[in-house]
């Protein structure tokens, strides 16, 4: 159908994951940061807010800095690309940190 809406999705291939902050790693801090991104029809982040923090400012800031520069596959309405808002979860886990 021409009216179907597809959500914006991070272009995971070209987006580097956030860096695990050295201090957070030393302090064994882990957590999930939930960001709310406003994505333009060009797939760029127009605005970004932390919807739910991890409880650790270092992790929240690292996630924010990384996602701010991410590129997205923009949301589509039929064949048109549109501005949209999308939740981006970023999980910090020490087990998968080098």
């Amino acid at each position: 159908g021409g009216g179907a809406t597809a959500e914006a999705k991070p272009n995971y291939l070209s987006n580097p994951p956030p860096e695990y902050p050295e201090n957070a790693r030393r302090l064994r801090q882990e957590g999930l940061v939930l960001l709310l991104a406003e994505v333009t029809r060009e797939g760029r982040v127009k605005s970004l807010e932390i919807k739910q923090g991890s409880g650790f400012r270092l992790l929240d800031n690292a996630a924010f800095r990384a996602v701010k520069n991410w590129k997205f596959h923009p949301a589509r309405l039929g064949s048109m690309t549109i501005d949209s808002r999308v939740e981006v979860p970023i999980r910090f886990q020490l087990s998968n940190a080098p």
Side-chain angles (χ1 to χ4, degrees):
T5 308
E7 239 189 27
K9 298 253 184 298
N11 180 352
Y12 285 110
L13 291 175
S14 68
N15 293 325
E19 218 170 281
Y20 215 119
E22 197 49 54
N23 283 344
R25 189 195 306 258
R26 228 186 2 261
L27 296 166
R28 315 286 302 156
Q29 294 178 350
E30 296 184 313
L32 177 71
V33 185
L34 196 56
L35 300 164
L36 190 60
E38 208 171 320
V39 179
T40 67
R41 59 201 310 165
E42 290 83 32
R44 303 248 177 231
V45 176
K46 185 160 118 186
S47 73
L48 191 60
E49 63 186 75
I50 295 175
K51 185 173 180 187
Q52 188 187 323
S54 62
F56 300 109
R57 184 181 293 267
L58 284 169
L59 300 183
D60 295 353
N61 288 346
F64 190 93
R65 273 197 308 274
V67 174
K68 193 177 60 176
N69 298 309
W70 276 15
K71 313 238 184 348
F72 286 76
H73 299 292
R76 303 184 80 88
L77 183 60
S79 59
M80 291 183 334
T81 56
I82 55 173
D83 291 359
S84 65
R85 290 164 77 84
V86 63
E87 282 185 6
V88 184
I90 301 286
R91 183 175 294 285
F92 288 93
Q93 274 181 305
L94 288 162
S95 53
N96 54 22

